[in-house]
């Protein structure tokens, strides 16, 4: 099991190149199931979750050819296997995204129900309900979703809860359905917009992506296309918080500032100096920060995937602030680990009250989920002495070469086996 060793106290400065967005690339990879032509993707990040998805698609029949750098060519001409087995789904919940496209193109799909997850129960009932509204017959037995449909029909679907992958699954299914589908209370995340852009390039007729109502006019088939995956807004936000906490100056390049308006606003409220261009964001700070309240909610509100990182920042800011998590029921597992570093945090229900302390102290801590591990890296960067973070396989799922990028910025961090 790998671990990260961090010697805290370095001021971080320089430029960091942002990678492609994991949560845009994952649904876009499954779009290869929607066409017999090839899908040429660029800016695909090299991450554990991406290779897991490529392995699953390969298992189904998609031929993936990695190209130079972050290119991947996907050929979904022959998909003899319409099943996503438990062994592959249990390591990555996003595997549920093969359900919509496979059912829409082949009229059948068998996908393992994703198991529970550390941050919450994360059901997929809205994915299933939406497909049933489009005429799918779905039976759940032995932990698998068996879906059948001669041809999906367009439907007007009001989603009870805003769900990102639910919106993405149904948007892909509707692209090949017979007639018009309206997704009301749809997720507005930038990753949904990026998927829609890719589907439209493949010939799909989609309007309203990025708003709460998405209208999809089904077409008989989709053709190949080339698409560049959008920059990862959560990786960007994580590095910007690192700059604010360490008292340095970091420019995130190849970024997409308009996807980070709420995060940039909160960093400015904390006292960091935030500037931006078309494709870069820079944060400069003297390390003296005010604690800022955050409350997570669907885009364009403050993103739940940045909650743990801002909790780390509040741990060393002056004053007290509340961190409220409204999306997931158990996304505070980083609190116990931050306390081991000396943080002063009290949790009641969905709200954590963080009282800033002058200094954190290095310790051995354990990563519990992807964004919690990022938060522990941030805390380790400012803690006195050495911090060792165990179980960093969580981190590798969502951050490309994070210790290399941080080392280039002046951090003292190394991976130990
Ligand atoms: C996506 O997960 C992201 N993952 C998550 O990022 C992100 O935290 C989350 O959206 C919220 O922004 C990918 O895009 C691959 P949801 P997803 O469905 O789609 C409830 C990361 O760190 N819900 O939007 O699984 C659910 O329980 C990951 O990169 C239902 O009740 O999240 C949750 O409370 C972590 N029924 C809420 O909706 C359903 O059918 C939002 O979940 C679906 C969801």
């Amino acid at each position: 099991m790998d671990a990260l060793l961090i010697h805290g106290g370095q001021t971080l400065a320089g430029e960091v190149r942002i990678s492609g967005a994991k949560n845009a690339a994952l649904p876009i990879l499954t779009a290869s199931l929607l066409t017999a032509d090839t899908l040429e993707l660029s800016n695909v990040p090299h991450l554990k979750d991406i290779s897991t998805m490529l392995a699953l698609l390969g298992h189904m029949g998609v031929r993936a050819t990695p190209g130079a750098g972050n290119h991947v060519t996907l050929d979904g001409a022959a998909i003899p296997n319409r099943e996503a087995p438990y062994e592959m789904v249990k390591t990555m919940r996003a595997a549920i995204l093969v359900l919509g496209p496979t059912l829409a193109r082949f009229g059948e799909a068998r996908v393992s129900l994703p198991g529970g997850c550390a941050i919450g129960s994360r059901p997929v009932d809205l994915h299933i309900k939406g497909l049933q509204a489009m005429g799918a017959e779905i039976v759940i037995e032995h932990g698998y979703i068996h879906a059948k449909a001669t041809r999906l029909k367009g439907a007007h679907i009001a989603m009870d809860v805003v769900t990102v992958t639910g919106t993405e699954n149904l948007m892909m299914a509707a692209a090949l359905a017979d007639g018009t589908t309206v997704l009301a209370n749809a997720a507005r995340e930038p990753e949904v917009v990026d998927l829609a852009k890719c589907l439209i390039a493949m010939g799909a007729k989609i309007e309203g992506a990025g708003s709460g109502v998405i209208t999809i006019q089904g077409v008989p088939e989709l053709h190949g296309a080339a698409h560049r995956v959008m920059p990862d807004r959560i990786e960007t936000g994580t590095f910007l918080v690192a700059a604010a906490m360490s008292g340095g100056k970091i420019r995130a390049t190849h970024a997409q500032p308009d996807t980070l308006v709420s995060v940039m606003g909160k960093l400015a409220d904390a006292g960091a100096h935030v500037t931006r261009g078309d494709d870069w964001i820079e944060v400069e700070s003297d390390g003296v920060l005010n604690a800022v309240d955050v409350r997570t909610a669907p885009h364009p509100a403050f993103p739940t995937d940045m909650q743990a990182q801002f909790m780390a920042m509040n741990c060393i800011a002056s004053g007290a602030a509340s961190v409220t998590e409204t999306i997931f029921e158990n996304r505070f597992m980083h609190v116990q680990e931050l306390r081991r570093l000396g943080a002063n945090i009290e949790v009641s229900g969905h709200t954590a009250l963080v009282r800033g302390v002058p200094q954190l102290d290095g310790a051995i801590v354990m990563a519990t989920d992807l964004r919690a591990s990022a938060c522990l890296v941030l805390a380790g960067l400012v803690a006195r002495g050495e911090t060792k973070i165990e179980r960093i396989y969580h981190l590798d799922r969502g951050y490309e070469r994070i210790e290399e990028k941080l080392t280039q910025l002046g951090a003292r961090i190394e991976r130990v086996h």
Side-chain angles (χ1 to χ4, degrees):
M1 275 243 228
D2 285 0
L4 281 182
L5 273 189
I6 305 175
H7 292 268
Q10 318 303 322
T11 299
L12 302 186
E15 285 197 359
V16 59
R17 180 180 178 132
I18 298 302
S19 302
K22 166 177 86 79
N23 290 349
L26 288 171
I28 287 168
L29 287 172
T30 65
S32 60
L33 293 163
L34 285 167
T35 175
D37 290 353
T38 54
L39 199 50
E40 307 270 349
L41 300 180
S42 54
N43 204 33
V44 178
H46 290 300
L47 297 170
K48 183 83 183 68
D49 272 11
I50 298 296
S51 38
T52 304
M53 181 63 87
L54 287 172
L56 169 58
L57 292 171
H59 168 81
M60 297 175 73
V62 174
R63 298 216 328 274
T65 314
N70 295 69
H71 281 69
V72 176
T73 300
L74 300 158
D75 169 5
I79 306 292
N81 184 347
R82 286 97 194 246
E83 172 175 322
Y86 175 68
E87 308 74 54
M88 292 184 149
V89 175
K90 72 180 177 186
T91 60
M92 185 189 58
R93 318 177 37 72
I96 189 72
L97 285 163
V98 306
L99 176 62
T102 307
L103 179 62
R105 179 156 163 234
F106 301 105
E108 60 167 344
R110 192 167 176 273
V111 177
S112 167
L113 266 174
C117 153
I119 61 177
S121 63
R122 299 182 73 180
V124 290
D125 55 310
L126 300 178
H127 300 236
I128 291 166
K129 218 171 127 195
L131 293 172
Q132 286 171 326
M134 295 166 77
E137 283 161 41
I138 295 186
V139 172
I140 294 179
E141 58 182 3
H142 310 306
Y144 277 81
I145 303 166
H146 301 255
K148 277 195 181 356
T150 37
R151 186 172 183 206
L152 292 173
K153 289 180 297 307
H156 194 130
I157 301 166
M159 323 266 277
D160 300 348
V161 175
V162 173
T163 159
V164 175
T165 49
T167 301
E168 292 164 345
N169 234 339
L170 296 177
M171 190 163 70
M172 287 193 279
L176 290 181
D178 182 12
T180 303
T181 297
V182 176
L183 300 179
N185 197 24
R188 302 165 59 183
E189 269 67 8
E191 293 75 22
V192 173
V193 177
D194 206 36
L195 171 64
K197 275 187 194 144
C198 179
L199 294 172
I200 289 166
M202 294 166 68
K205 294 189 172 24
I206 299 172
E207 285 174 13
S211 80
V213 180
I214 304 176
T215 304
I216 305 107
Q217 183 70 39
V219 293
E221 62 179 25
L222 294 178
H223 50 72
H227 180 77
R228 179 178 179 76
V229 173
M230 66 174 279
D232 193 311
R233 62 193 169 105
I234 305 302
E235 183 195 21
T236 308
T238 304
F239 280 106
L240 298 180
V241 170
M245 291 174 72
S246 79
K249 182 177 177 181
I250 291 180
R251 173 173 292 206
T253 64
H254 301 81
Q256 195 173 335
D258 61 8
T259 60
L260 280 150
V261 174
S262 63
V263 169
M264 288 193 288
K266 285 291 174 188
L267 285 167
D269 293 349
H273 180 60
V274 184
T275 49
R276 54 162 288 181
D278 289 345
D279 65 351
W280 59 267
I281 304 174
E282 189 168 87
V283 164
E284 183 168 9
S285 154
D286 57 7
V288 180
L289 300 168
N290 328 304
V292 284
D293 292 343
V294 296
R295 179 185 178 81
T296 67
H299 193 78
F302 187 86
T304 174
D305 292 348
M306 283 299 302
Q307 177 255 106
Q309 296 91 316
F310 268 71
M311 190 181 288
M313 190 172 80
N314 278 335
C315 287
I316 54 147
S318 56
S322 65
V323 176
T324 302
E325 172 57 55
T326 72
I327 304 288
F328 292 111
E329 61 266 33
N330 185 29
R331 204 171 197 176
F332 280 155
M333 283 168 303
H334 39 286
V335 169
Q336 279 298 8
E337 302 304 313
L338 287 168
R339 284 189 183 130
R340 287 181 49 72
L341 296 167
N344 179 343
I345 308 171
E346 269 168 52
V347 174
S348 72
H350 289 271
T351 296
L353 179 66
V354 186
R355 291 184 173 85
V357 294
Q359 175 78 49
L360 294 175
D361 276 321
I364 299 177
V365 289
M366 186 177 77
T368 50
D369 62 86
L370 168 53
R371 305 305 172 181
S373 39
C375 133
L376 295 174
V377 170
L378 294 172
L381 290 172
V382 300
R384 192 188 0 240
E386 184 178 273
T387 296
K388 182 178 180 187
I389 304 173
E390 299 184 334
R391 301 195 183 183
I392 57 160
Y393 57 85
H394 292 291
L395 195 62
D396 296 334
R397 296 187 51 177
Y399 289 90
E400 188 174 358
R401 299 178 293 110
I402 195 166
E403 67 267 22
E404 282 174 38
K405 294 186 174 182
L406 285 169
T407 301
Q408 279 164 8
L409 294 167
R412 284 181 58 198
I413 180 171
E414 59 176 321
R415 182 179 289 251
V416 293
H417 305 286

